């Protein structure tokens, strides 16, 4: 099934074949860029980028990606739009659809993204919500493939807060047949609905999803060790409470020693070194964090090309 004209709100909505198509095109556009070859798949196209949450990687990767694909990206903060002054999301969706060829939104409420997609007549890409971060999760698995080859049957361990990254990684790991163990404090578990949906996919693709409160149990024999910040944007006021609950979930050399000797370490960034991950691990040879950050550009270019390009 073609991705042309569709939305990307969640990896759960993609088929295995569609995930593989994104990865296939990612390699093509990445190789072309590295070789200095033009790949203007979206020449003359425009992406509207709505930011209710600020970002380094999301803004730069989408903006540069559109330019490299021959198109243009427009940065639209909440302060720049009437949506920040009370205009209904459905009105903004229909107006922007008359001007642009695609919309990327990075915001708090996942329901807001779903409403935007419902009323927009152009593809909508979820750049991040409090529930899901699909572009990052697809990037993470693509990076794992670059470093590990076939990922089916391999094990990822996610350590820390059961946030949008934990949710999205469960979805994408299940979709590609990768096992995932998620270790969180009991009060910061992943979304139950996401766990249920991911486990349905895991049964279809022969993988497993394990939830635990023991980071050492999760990391044991892992091929990939993953973590994220303990307090996401909008949660800083709860930092001290979160720190107390999450202190034993730090990815450090001792914890990494339980994983496979050739395990790689991932973090979606920004990292708070000394909190969820130590500086030593971030700078170690096992860290592929900056390869991962670069691949946001290439994966998102593939996503935009498939959704917004010619069928």
């Amino acid at each position: 099934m073609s991705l042309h004209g569709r939305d990307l709100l969640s990896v759960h909505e993609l088929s295995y074949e569609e995930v593989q198509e994104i990865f296939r095109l990612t390699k093509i556009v990445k190789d072309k860029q590295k070789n200095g070859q033009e790949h203007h798949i979206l020449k003359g196209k425009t992406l509207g980028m709505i930011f209710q949450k600020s970002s380094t990687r999301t803004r730069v990767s989408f903006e540069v990606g559109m330019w490299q694909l021959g198109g243009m990206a427009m940065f639209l903060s909440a302060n720049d739009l009437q949506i920040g002054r009370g205009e209904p999301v459905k009105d903004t969706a229909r107006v922007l659809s008359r001007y642009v060829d695609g919309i990327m939104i990075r915001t708090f409420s996942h329901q807001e993204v779903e409403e935007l997609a419902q009323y927009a007549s152009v593809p909508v890409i979820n750049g991040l919500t409090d529930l899901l971060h699909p572009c990052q999760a697809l990037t993470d698995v693509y990076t794992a493939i670059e470093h590990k080859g076939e990922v089916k049957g391999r094990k990822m361990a996610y350590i820390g807060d059961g946030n949008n990254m934990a949710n999205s990684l469960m979805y994408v790991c299940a979709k590609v047949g990768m096992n995932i163990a998620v270790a969180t404090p009991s009060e910061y578990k992943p979304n139950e609905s996401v766990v249920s949906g991911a486990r349905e996919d895991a049964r279809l693709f022969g993988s497993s999803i394990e939830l635990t409160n023991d980071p050492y149990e999760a990391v044991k024999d892992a091929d990939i060790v993953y973590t994220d910040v303990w307090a996401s944007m909008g949660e800083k006021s709860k930092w001290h409470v979160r720190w107390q609950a999450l202190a034993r979930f730090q990815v450090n050399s001792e914890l990494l020693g339980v994983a496979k000797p050739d395990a790689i370490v991932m973090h979606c960034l920004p990292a708070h070194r000394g909190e969820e991950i130590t500086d030593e691990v971030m700078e170690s040879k096992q860290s592929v964090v900056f390869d991962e950050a670069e691949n946001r550009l290439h994966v998102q270019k593939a996503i935009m090309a498939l959704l917004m390009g010619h069928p």
Side-chain angles (χ1 to χ4, degrees):
M1 184 182 293
S2 171
L3 283 165
H4 175 74
R6 289 173 51 192
D7 305 312
L8 179 56
L9 308 187
S10 167
V11 178
H12 189 49
E13 298 167 358
L14 300 176
S15 69
Y16 170 81
E17 291 76 18
E18 287 163 347
V19 171
Q20 296 304 318
E21 178 66 6
I22 290 170
F23 292 162
R24 184 192 68 81
L25 186 55
T26 297
K27 185 176 189 313
I28 290 172
V29 295
K30 183 173 182 177
D31 287 346
K32 283 184 178 293
Q33 183 192 327
K34 297 295 184 185
N35 295 328
Q37 295 175 286
E38 185 180 280
H39 47 291
H40 289 171
I41 304 169
L42 296 181
K43 186 175 183 180
K45 302 271 187 175
T46 303
L47 177 74
M49 305 189 303
I50 301 174
F51 282 86
Q52 307 257 32
K53 280 187 174 185
S54 58
S55 168
T56 300
R57 279 150 292 278
T58 300
R59 178 177 178 179
V60 176
S61 56
F62 271 107
E63 198 162 324
V64 171
M66 273 301 288
W67 181 84
Q68 290 179 353
L69 291 170
M72 180 184 78
M74 299 174 59
F75 173 79
L76 305 166
S77 74
N79 294 330
D80 298 324
L81 297 171
Q82 294 300 329
I83 198 172
R85 301 178 180 87
E87 180 176 65
V89 171
K90 61 185 179 182
D91 291 358
T92 297
R94 288 179 285 200
V95 169
L96 286 180
S97 295
R98 304 292 182 102
Y99 299 145
V100 301
D101 301 287
I103 301 168
M104 188 283 298
I105 180 168
R106 180 180 170 94
T107 189
F108 295 89
S109 167
H110 192 75
Q111 184 178 353
E112 184 175 20
V113 176
E114 290 179 333
E115 185 178 0
L116 186 72
Q118 180 183 350
Y119 288 96
S121 58
V122 297
V124 172
I125 300 170
N126 177 4
L128 175 142
T129 67
D130 285 346
L131 181 66
L132 296 172
H133 198 353
C135 295
Q136 180 67 59
L138 286 163
T139 295
D140 299 332
V141 170
Y142 181 81
T143 306
I145 291 168
E146 284 190 326
H147 286 270
K148 293 293 184 182
E150 176 60 60
V151 293
K152 183 175 176 60
R154 289 193 181 271
K155 179 183 178 181
M156 175 183 286
Y158 175 90
I159 310 299
D161 180 26
N163 59 14
N164 51 9
M165 277 316 312
N167 293 336
S168 293
L169 287 168
M170 285 189 294
Y171 274 155
V172 73
C173 285
K175 196 71 71 171
V176 299
M178 187 189 299
N179 303 315
I180 182 168
V182 178
T184 69
S186 56
E187 60 268 46
Y188 296 114
K189 293 187 293 186
N191 180 277
E192 289 183 6
S193 176
V194 171
V195 173
S196 177
R199 280 181 167 157
E200 287 179 15
D201 279 345
R203 284 191 288 271
L204 286 174
F205 295 103
S207 56
S208 64
I209 294 174
E210 174 192 352
L211 302 184
T212 178
N213 302 131
D214 183 349
Y216 286 87
E217 179 185 344
V219 171
K220 188 177 188 312
D221 296 326
D223 298 283
I224 301 144
V225 178
Y226 197 113
T227 191
D228 191 13
V229 292
W230 289 344
S232 300
M233 203 174 296
E235 299 174 330
K236 301 301 182 185
S237 61
K238 306 171 186 175
W239 186 87
H240 289 291
V241 174
R242 285 177 165 269
W243 194 93
Q244 288 180 330
L246 287 155
R248 67 187 181 89
F249 290 82
Q250 183 186 72
V251 174
N252 51 38
S253 295
E254 180 183 336
L255 182 64
L256 190 56
V258 179
K260 288 182 179 177
D262 62 346
I264 58 175
V265 176
M266 290 188 171
H267 192 307
C268 57
L269 299 178
H272 294 170
R273 299 182 186 220
E275 293 178 19
E276 76 276 2
I277 191 168
T278 61
D279 188 76
E280 180 183 14
V281 171
M282 274 283 291
E283 296 295 340
S284 71
K285 291 181 179 179
Q286 290 174 269
S287 171
V288 299
V289 169
F290 297 105
D291 291 346
E292 183 186 358
E294 178 193 338
N295 280 336
R296 281 287 297 280
L297 171 67
H298 308 300
V299 170
Q300 288 166 185
K301 282 164 67 175
I303 290 168
M304 291 187 291
L306 288 167
L307 268 57
M308 298 166 58
H310 296 293

